[in-house]
Amino acid sequence: MEKIILDCDPGHDDAIAILLAAGNPDIELLAITTVAGNQTLEKVTRNAMAVCAAGGITVPIAAGAVGPLVRPQYVAEDIHGDSGLDGPVLPAATRDLDPRHAVDVIIDILMAEEPGTVHLVPTGPLTTIALAIRKEPRIVGRVKSVVLMGGAYTRGNVTSAAEFNIYVDPEAAEAVFAADWDVTMVGLDLTHQATATPDVIDRITAVGGPLATFVTDMLAFFRSTYLERFGFPDPPVHDACCVAKLIDPAVFSTSDAFVAVELNGRWTSGMTYTVFDPELSVPEVRTAAAARRRTHVATTLDKDRFWDLVVDALGRLTEK
Ligand code: PIR
Ligand code: CA
């Protein structure tokens, strides 16, 4: 049983991550926290509530950072729509938000739980997590691991260098990669393998019931924007890969690397500079790499294992 806090910006693939975490019996979802990203904080928080209403999920939800640490806000309306979760009918919230700020929820949980037992799973810009480290640095030593969706070692999706979650708040991301905790970077190189193909949609449809309809409506919209914007035949459900890793470590493989975030590049701001063999590099890289823990960088997904977990979780939430 792995305990997690999911810090997200729903978002179609964030929604799948929430449903996987709540529906899998080996995950204890302690809280959902939100961060401005795919849409404004207000919208993504409303969407988190809607997903929980659709899935019958009752864990606390708390709203976090309203925008990046230093840069202007940048949202992904072209992919996720005006609501941030266009496609399905969004059910009304069935309960209240946690009155605390997400930063305090994260700190309260990590300081109360046994050290080394709670994973952080950020699937949006890293603003809320960076603020939590600044407010209570002791959380770094208490987290079991950070499994984040963000970055890439081959290419970006906002610019050719940068992935959205890192591009939006590179200063926050750099603080997370620089902190002395165990980080797995689940970047586009991995998540672009997690595509919702027509056979996957058929399996979700076969689950039946209103939650399956909610998910297939969501994926139909996501499919249309991914086709239009990127020419992808099937949409990738990035964020759910992070949760899957904590359920079944064999779901994807990783390689250890030095990862740092480009803050000042002329064209590369928000790039996750990744060096798999820093010892073979120039002195400047060797020195920087020696001063930082290696990041586990996700490389190859076992697609069947991944989708089995998602379909199983949707089935369990539907039966409940
Ligand atoms: C996906 C996202 C943002 C922009 C695009 N083009 C596609 C969101 C997803 O929710 C995921 O967390 C991450 N950001 C992928 O870049
Ligand atoms: Ca996301």
Side-chain angles (χ1 to χ4, degrees), residues 9 13-14 38 123-124 165 239:
D9 62 338
D13 53 321
D14 302 84
N38 286 325
T123 64
N165 291 346
D239 297 342

Side-chain angles (χ1 to χ4, degrees), residues 122-126 147-170 173-174 177 183-192 226 238-239 242 259-262 268-274 276 295-298:
T123 64
L126 290 152
V147 182
L148 65 88
M149 194 285 138
Y153 55 90
T154 53
R155 42 95 120 79
N157 61 358
V158 179
T159 68
S160 58
E163 180 281 327
F164 179 87
N165 291 346
I166 311 298
Y167 177 85
V168 166
D169 196 342
E174 173 59 9
F177 282 105
V183 178
T184 299
M185 175 174 97
V186 184
L188 297 174
D189 326 282
L190 188 283
T191 64
H192 280 174
Y226 251 95
H238 314 273
D239 297 342
C242 300
V259 177
V261 179
E262 184 70 292
T268 52
S269 179
M271 176 184 182
T272 42
Y273 177 69
T274 305
F276 288 102
T295 298
H296 314 295
V297 177

Side-chain angles (χ1 to χ4, degrees), residues 232-255:
F232 277 32
D234 306 304
V237 297
H238 314 273
D239 297 342
C241 298
C242 300
V243 177
K245 180 68 171 172
L246 294 169
I247 299 167
D248 177 6
V251 80
F252 61 73
S253 44
T254 63
S255 289

